[in-house]
Amino acid sequence: MHVRMLTIAAILFIAGIILTACGLSTTKSQDPSQDLPSLDVEIIMSSQDDGQWSVQFDFREPQSAVIFPCAQDDYRRRSWTATSSGTHVRHLFDAGVDLLVLDPPSQSATFTVEPWFEVLPRDYTPALFFSHGGIAFHLPQFEMFAMPSLDAALELEPDLINLQDAPLKTQFHFDVDGLHVVNGDVSIGPLSVGLDDAPGYVYLGPGPVTQSERFAGILDPDLPVWLQANFENKIGEIFTFLEARHKDGLSERVTILLSMEPPEFQGESIGGSTMPGPLLTMTVGGPIFAQPPSVSLKDAVHSTLAHEAAHLFQKRYAEHRTCEPWIHEGHASAVANDFMGLETLVNDRERQKCLNALKHSETLPEALYRSPYECGAAVWNVTNSLMTEPDIYRLWDHMMERRGSDRLNSEDFIIALIDLTPSGHETNWFVSILRGEPIQVDLEDYLIHTR
């Protein structure tokens, strides 16, 4: 998932985790002229001169209550203005969803939407800002479930555990004349795409598009010259590195969106995400990017790109979900450190943050929960001292082959590690700690200083 931090010193490399309520599959875009009789709702979106967007929902059947499960921070109530009578949006705090009310029941609802560029907690940013007028919409924010009544919506429980129905089958129609990028494909003119077919973000706006066999990229023209000039070579270098380590490449062309924070943004920011498509995003901002770049700033940008690219390679055969993000975030952090040529797979900042988490935890799983990126990287680093042939890339691929379901957990990691390590006291001891046995006195030194 994508979160942008406010200080360079506190950068976290945020991954494209697959959100249970917001996940998408990936196929090709549909022809706008195609007959789609099974659709439940069509969403027509067009830009206005003032930067806002007109959004019209056309439902196949009259609706009285529709919920949006991707509803962090109550942003719709603050940025959506209903323009059809009897229509409004409210936030259901107990269930953590937004509710679209149509009274009386109707087959249509219209809004004026001011794109929301601010970071949301634990969710993707609804729209990415580009200084030349382009915009990228996160389509899963429009995922909807029809409720049989308003009362049924008000009775929803947290995490929607009592929600039984499938989401509405949704088709978008963007009334635009310019360029758009979807699933690595670049086209011009009106766009029609299904929610089931969309990668996450859909870019709409001016070019140019930086293209190769591996990717189609949109770079904000206000990005620093050094970042733009070096981008194609650096992303190619990262992909080549990962292809060599995994002994395999990506089967589909990647969409890459590199954007700037809006002008009103305060602070300093580097953040990224990945999601189905495949799609990679990175957003930067702050006064530091208007100055000559330091070595540490360039390293932070390149490490972020490597971290996010690592997620693309993690998911090249199958998507995965997990309630233990240290598995994929720790691996991506370790990969980024490997790409940057560090002596170990844990950098100094990660060591310090993991050490602090260990000091406040009674078990390793608790420390991994507190500090999934940093302690996760430390765990993956330790595996190199345990495996017969140190190779965190092989270990990841073996884990994905052996996993019991699409929801990764620490047992999947442990089973794969045991497969690739000789039997012995040290492996058994480390596995027992991973399974939650109380932390031993020497674990801090073991995790933090293993080379």
Side-chain angles (χ1 to χ4, degrees), residues 5 23 61 69 75 79-81 84 91 105 127 155 193 198 252 315 330 349 379 402 405 413 424 426 429 441:
M5 313 312 289
E61 303 289 342
Y75 78 93
S79 60
W80 291 27
T81 302
S84 53
H91 189 67
E155 292 172 358
V193 62
E252 298 176 286
K315 297 178 285 190
R349 182 190 62 81
V379 167
R402 287 289 307 270
S405 69
F413 175 86
E426 189 173 21
W429 175 80
V441 175

Side-chain angles (χ1 to χ4, degrees), residues 156-204:
L156 284 171
E157 299 177 16
D159 298 325
L160 307 182
I161 58 177
N162 60 335
L163 182 64
Q164 302 296 325
D165 294 333
L168 296 177
K169 187 172 179 60
T170 303
Q171 185 83 359
F172 294 88
H173 302 288
F174 292 95
D175 185 11
V176 294
D177 296 325
L179 178 147
H180 48 78
V181 183
V182 185
N183 293 346
D185 295 329
V186 182
S187 301
I188 296 176
L191 168 68
S192 181
V193 62
L195 181 56
D196 290 339
D197 307 316
Y201 285 101
V202 167
Y203 174 80
L204 309 158

Side-chain angles (χ1 to χ4, degrees), residues 282-324:
M282 187 173 75
T283 301
V284 302
I288 194 170
F289 285 94
Q291 304 168 5
S294 64
V295 172
S296 62
L297 179 62
K298 287 186 175 181
D299 285 350
V301 168
H302 296 156
S303 184
T304 299
L305 285 172
H307 180 107
E308 300 306 337
H311 286 308
L312 295 176
F313 277 74
Q314 288 172 352
K315 297 178 285 190
R316 67 194 189 281
Y317 295 129
E319 295 292 340
H320 59 270
R321 297 177 295 167
T322 182
C323 293
E324 299 180 69

